[in-house]
Amino acid sequence: MEIFLMKELVFGHKNPDTDAIVAAKAFAYLENQLGADAEAVALGTPNEETKFVLEHFSEETPRVVTEVSKEVEAVMLVDHNEAQQSVDDIKDVTVTHVVDHHRIANFETSAPLYYYAEPVGCTSTIIFKLFKQNSIKIPAKLAGLMLSAIISDTLLFKSPTTTPADEVAVKELAKIAAVDYETYGLEMLKAGTNLGSKSEKELIDADAKSFEMGGKTVRIDQVNTVDLDEVFAREVALRNAIEEESATEGYDLFLLMVTNILDSNTRLLVVGEPKNVVETAFSVKLIDDKAELPGVVSRKKQVVPQLEKAF
């Protein structure tokens, strides 16, 4: 009897960063090697950093989708699990796999599934482990993509989310890809800070995620730069864009994290209410809706848990 495999789509979160794009590609490749029929897609166009990575390794940009239920019955999620960060019709398909390194929230399934979550710096680090567990060889190009994702998520190991597993993975992947990861990594991170051509709307959407906290919808966007003042020269326009989007999308509180990747500091711009929760979370006094957060680079580890506790 002939067995027909059911095709599945693999994707990361909306407003994809490098890990969301690369982890989908890496996991789809792994699953296909193990006998599945999987296609990596994206829930948005790649950002400047990811474009640099894809061009550097001559890799195709994934197909962008806004809904999936018209073409498949089942999907695999990487680098996210929360429904509001996923494809709009996620409730109309079966989630068979999740590989992630974030908190688990607003997520449930009606059937058992494969779920691998680990508190490492990057989803691609977990997928690197899965290749080893399954004795599947990582091609050189994919190794280059995966080390790029880990460098991106850990800010070249400067982020407090970095674990020894991330560093081991990058060093091994760099050998496979024949890349000097330190030189390349800095070049890649700087490519992602080219913000001059971006509109205010593009900046506040580029790496934004929504969270449900204390009955409020909290939107947190992170912009990486090498010059905080260059970004805040556009503060009035950024505020206007945030206010307009919050009104349209129903965000109660919007935090714009502008992070200097060279000295690992963040300046926060807060729009909406309740602002006092932000002050409590970070033990700061907002001045003109802004605060300096020295040493803060990770939304996942240094912003979201603190806000949740304050709420």
Side-chain angles (χ1 to χ4, degrees), residues 247-268:
T248 304
E249 302 294 337
Y251 306 138
D252 298 294
L253 186 64
F254 195 116
L255 278 67
L256 174 62
M257 297 172 61
V258 184
T259 302
N260 186 326
I261 61 167
L262 299 181
D263 64 13
S264 301
N265 292 322
T266 288
R267 186 177 299 165
L268 200 61

Side-chain angles (χ1 to χ4, degrees), residues 134-153:
N134 288 283
S135 302
I136 303 290
K137 188 178 177 184
I138 302 175
K141 182 192 285 191
L142 186 55
L145 297 174
M146 290 171 72
L147 75 86
S148 301
I150 302 169
I151 289 170
S152 172
D153 264 15

